[in-house]
Amino acid sequence: MPAPARPAPSPVVLLVYPVTLLLGSLFSVISPVARSTRSSSHDPAAPLAPSLAADLHLSESPVNYFARKSNIFNLYFVKVGWIWLTVAFASLVLFQPAYNLSSASHAQQEIRFRRSIQAFLRWCLATIVWYLTTQWFFGPAIIDRSFMITGGKCGQALDLVAKANSESSSVQLETVFTAAACKAAGGAWKGGHDISGHVFMLVLVTALLVFEAVGAGAVAASPSAAPESAGRERKASDPNALPNGDQDASFGTGRTWSMRLVWGVVVLGWWMLFMTAIWFHTWLEKWSGLAIALSTIYVIYILPRRLPPWKDIVGLPGV
Ligand SMILES: CCCCCCCCCCCCCCCC(=O)SCCNC(=O)CCNC(=O)[C@H](O)C(C)(C)COP(=O)(O)O
Ligand SMILES: Nc1ncnc2c1ncn2[C@@H]1O[C@H](COP(=O)(O)O)[C@@H](OP(=O)(O)O)[C@H]1O
């Protein structure tokens, strides 16, 4: 009898992220293209602090396509990354046998329903952390607040405030205190510790999808869920049994494409993380983005393995 499929990846896989940031930062130092761009910046701190996008105006005419803020993957993938995560996550819950409620016995349905609710809870937790970190934290997001606390400000803020005197006071405050509003108003968000929102979001999205996909995939690969065992060994109480009959074909297609979508998002997310590591931000700004993302992953996916009461609430993918 084959060994049961392993339901969860080892936390060691998370080492891929520091290694990626390390390789990206090294590449940014040794690559002739990155170096020549830096040397033309007249910024003595640049070799150790390649905040290329901000300092070197890379969005205007960078040599490398991926160093442009306007690159198509940045605009339509990373900048709307939470939508991609949500769609990929939803496709797992809709199409993977671990969650699918159709043609399941009552006992199976109960287990899969519980799994689906817990998966939704995990998505909610991740979404709250993402939202508070990058979008809103009772006003400016955590990233914007930490930037201000560490001495950053909106360059040309005084001009903006003077200009805004004729406008409403809420416009003034927003313009001065959030990165997006500062840039939108033509100011430069400079000076403090600017935690990388890209590193934070890309690590969170890719790690979360890997944990979810491996958990759901392990259920699909378990012996009792294999198509050939359907109808033979399947027990009514087996939560992993696949649907049979006419549903098999359409269910199988959805299952395959949901995994393709998830792994597509993971691979592209990793690539964009590597590009951010090469072309954008300082060393520390990348690591602080990584630290927040990995802490979130730890609480949602690793801690439940060690803390049964927490596991009872958020569950584990595929369990
Ligand atoms: C205790 C108080 C609790 C408060 C609870 C808040 C609850 C939040 C719920 C919000 C609902 C979110 C619904 C999610 C559905 C979506 O997908 S919404 C829109 C999608 N938006 C994005 O995907 C934006 C992703 N981009 C970014 O986050 C940023 O662009 C960036 C990648 C972090 C980079 O930032 P820059 O400023 O551009 O450098
Ligand atoms: N991989 C990538 N590709 C393109 N632009 C990137 C990028 N990583 C970061 N950036 C850009 O660098 C700036 C800082 O990103 P972040 O703080 O989110 O890590 C952002 O600029 P804008 O805010 O002007 O778009 C962002 O778009």
Side-chain angles (χ1 to χ4, degrees), residues 51-54 59 65-75 78-79 134 143 179-180 183 189 194-202 271-281 285-286:
S51 194
L52 297 182
S59 57
Y65 179 72
F66 284 99
R68 297 179 201 169
K69 292 179 182 183
S70 59
N71 86 66
I72 198 167
F73 302 101
N74 190 44
L75 294 184
V78 187
K79 287 281 189 175
T134 68
I143 283 183
K183 287 172 196 165
W189 196 236
D194 184 16
I195 298 171
S196 172
H198 273 54
V199 170
F200 162 74
M201 201 187 74
L202 290 169
W271 176 253
M272 293 307 284
L273 176 70
F274 189 44
M275 294 301 107
T276 301
I278 294 176
W279 297 107
F280 300 92
H281 282 285
E285 288 168 352
K286 287 179 256 190

Side-chain angles (χ1 to χ4, degrees), residues 78-83 86 123 127-128 130-132 134-136 138 197-198 201:
V78 187
K79 287 281 189 175
V80 290
W82 214 256
I83 296 180
T86 303
W123 176 87
T127 300
I128 289 172
W130 161 72
Y131 195 77
L132 296 177
T134 68
Q135 310 292 312
W136 174 90
F138 306 99
H198 273 54
M201 201 187 74

